[in-house]
Amino acid sequence: MNLTGLTSSPHLQAALSGPLSHAYLISGPAGERRTLAEIIARSLICSGGSERPCNTCPACQKALRGIHPDILLTGRDPDGGKKDILVGQIREITRDAHTLPNEAARKVYIVDGADAMNPSAQNAFLKVLEEPPGFVTILLLTENPLALLPTVRSRCIHLALTPTGDQAPDADGAHMALAEAFFKAFSTGGLPLLEFCIGLEKTDRQTLTAFADSCHGQLIQALARPGGDGAGLLAAVELFDSLREDLERNVSAGHISGKIAATLLG
């Protein structure tokens, strides 16, 4: 994916290199998360023939001007000074999501400030987040992922942006190597998995966060494929969802490694 215009979190290139998910939770600085959401949206409606988004085709040009009919933005209700995103706004999305796109092959819904959804609005979103029409992608933008219900977070792939300059120099390659080592140990179990967890205790927080996001996304994609170990994959998805919460609370690497071992080897 062409991430031109995004200045932080280079590991996102790897996370977005394959087929895109139907739902993403994007957290981080306001400008960065909005930029990433716009790039993902343009890539999904782009009609160019090479790397997407091409930013030059008619669809991309409409998106850049904010007038593409298949990219729909929702935020706090501007009427009456409401601070919450209300259940009525989300029900409008869930109804509209079953209507075919106007021009592009896909429709993209961007919920800006998703942490402002009240509990009723979040619960109203669950069905379409879990089983959306095949032409729908939903992007939830938030400063605080923990303000969202676990049932909402578990249905999305989390893309965590860090402020410019906060990314560890080797986080990109390190987290990918960690993810590869984890899945190899996970498929074997036993002693290899225990040894992996022991080695994880010395990992820095930035790399751990990128590792947890990468594994969570890959596990969700594996869960969607037929023929896999559904129960085992679901348990691993729930584990990594909780690990991302722990990392957002600045929990130590030792706790993270211990939790992986206790859950998958217990």
Side-chain angles (χ1 to χ4, degrees):
M1 182 180 295
N2 179 7
L3 295 180
T4 300
L6 193 67
T7 58
S8 70
S9 300
H11 69 275
L12 291 173
Q13 185 68 64
L16 295 169
S17 61
L20 293 180
S21 173
H22 67 277
Y24 287 97
L25 173 61
I26 303 174
S27 66
E32 291 284 283
R33 63 179 185 255
R34 183 65 178 269
T35 297
L36 178 58
E38 291 171 351
I39 289 172
I40 293 174
R42 289 200 304 276
S43 74
L44 289 165
I45 57 87
C46 177
S47 58
S50 56
E51 187 179 32
R52 297 187 174 192
C54 69
N55 297 322
T56 58
C57 70
C60 282
Q61 286 295 303
K62 281 188 177 182
L64 286 166
R65 297 198 304 273
I67 59 171
H68 197 288
D70 295 316
I71 299 176
L72 300 106
L73 176 66
T74 297
R76 291 177 174 85
D77 189 347
D79 298 325
K82 299 287 187 181
K83 293 184 178 181
D84 289 346
I85 294 177
L86 305 177
V87 64
Q89 294 173 261
I90 301 307
R91 285 176 177 159
E92 287 181 13
I93 291 177
T94 59
R95 285 193 295 267
D96 187 73
H98 294 278
T99 303
L100 290 171
N102 291 280
E103 297 179 5
R106 301 189 65 82
K107 296 175 78 170
V108 186
Y109 296 91
I110 301 173
V111 181
D112 199 2
D115 48 316
M117 288 191 291
N118 60 36
S120 295
Q122 293 188 50
N123 283 319
F125 228 153
L126 294 180
K127 179 67 174 178
V128 76
L129 280 174
E130 184 169 15
E131 298 178 355
F135 51 80
V136 166
T137 296
I138 298 169
L139 307 176
L140 304 181
L141 281 57
T142 178
E143 182 177 3
N144 178 20
L146 296 181
L148 297 172
L149 298 172
T151 46
V152 171
R153 296 198 306 270
S154 67
R155 287 164 168 79
C156 306
I157 291 179
H158 186 192
L159 301 175
L161 291 152
T162 55
T164 303
D166 284 359
Q167 185 73 22
D170 63 344
D172 188 19
H175 92 273
M176 294 171 65
L178 271 181
E180 183 179 352
F182 166 75
F183 281 106
K184 184 176 180 180
F186 179 52
S187 64
T188 305
L191 184 59
L193 185 55
L194 179 60
E195 291 175 342
F196 171 82
C197 292
I198 292 172
L200 201 64
E201 294 180 0
K202 298 180 180 179
T203 306
D204 66 88
R205 183 174 175 272
Q206 292 290 342
T207 302
L208 270 177
T209 300
F211 158 73
D213 287 342
S214 177
C215 287
H216 185 265
Q218 292 182 59
L219 285 164
I220 287 180
Q221 291 176 354
L223 188 61
R225 292 192 289 266
D229 176 10
L233 288 171
L234 181 59
V237 167
E238 292 173 348
L239 166 64
F240 274 89
D241 194 49
S242 71
L243 292 178
R244 294 187 306 170
E245 286 188 31
D246 291 340
L247 286 162
E248 285 159 0
R249 294 190 177 103
N250 209 23
V251 169
S252 69
H255 175 90
I256 297 296
S257 63
K259 191 170 186 177
I260 294 174
T263 303
L264 299 181
L265 293 172

